[in-house]
Amino acid sequence: MLSWGRDDEVVIPPQAMRAVLAAARRLGGVVVVDLPRRVDEGVAEALAQLDLGLLVVPGELRAVAAAKRVASTAGMVLDDLRVVPRGPYASGLDGRWVARAIGLPLVGELPWESGLLDSQDDGTPPGGNARGSLARFCAAFWDQVAVAGDTSPVTGPPGGGAV
């Protein structure tokens, strides 16, 4: 798992991103990359190497508008980008509406998980609670990927957590 800090304004050169992802792939298995909302040259390099991207979007109108811009930019580099709406939803919105508004396929919905941030402060990784909504979403997603015979790397921007 490669993650990007929320407050990091560091620009990673494309060559460095390429080297880190190549090293991660050599280890085998799935590489999960949590990318920032902005797409600079380093992020574009990461997107170009991914097979599948997940865009996690809070269920709010402003977040949907921002995600549409991110999807437009990321979609120029990444062929398979899908959306994961995250609740709670603003009045009148739901996961299907979010996916249609952004123009991306809906992977599944991620309900709000109370205590998730507190768990992280205690050292529990996101999804570490097997009964939590994030763990259930991830299990269902990986089951779906396994059925499709797909072992694609997955990415999602911060602000909704990585999958």
Side-chain angles (χ1 to χ4, degrees):
M1 164 106 188
L2 304 172
S3 186
W4 206 281
R6 285 179 165 239
D7 297 329
D8 290 346
E9 293 297 326
V10 176
V11 175
I12 297 176
Q15 305 86 332
M17 183 66 77
R18 189 176 310 116
V20 168
L21 290 174
R25 278 195 310 275
R26 281 193 298 272
L27 295 174
V30 174
V31 178
V32 177
V33 184
D34 180 20
L35 296 171
R37 290 178 185 96
R38 69 180 178 350
V39 179
D40 59 25
E41 289 181 357
V43 171
E45 177 64 35
L47 290 169
Q49 293 192 39
L50 298 176
D51 296 316
L52 168 66
L54 299 182
L55 182 59
V56 180
V57 181
E60 303 166 357
L61 196 52
R62 285 181 40 191
V64 172
K68 189 167 182 162
R69 288 189 300 275
V70 170
S72 174
T73 304
M76 288 188 252
V77 183
L78 178 62
D79 291 332
D80 191 357
L81 184 60
R82 306 173 195 183
V83 68
V84 179
R86 187 191 77 206
Y89 294 102
S91 179
L93 303 186
D94 63 17
R96 292 182 195 274
W97 186 93
V98 170
R100 280 192 311 271
I102 297 172
L104 293 175
L106 176 66
V107 171
E109 296 181 49
L110 188 56
W112 174 253
E113 183 171 337
S114 64
L116 183 63
L117 295 177
D118 293 335
S119 296
Q120 288 177 333
D121 290 341
D122 295 338
T124 304
N129 174 2
R131 294 185 196 160
S133 58
L134 179 57
R136 288 192 317 271
F137 170 83
C138 290
F141 174 75
W142 290 120
D143 287 346
Q144 181 183 12
V145 168
V147 167
D150 187 359
T151 57
S152 304
V154 179
T155 183
V163 176

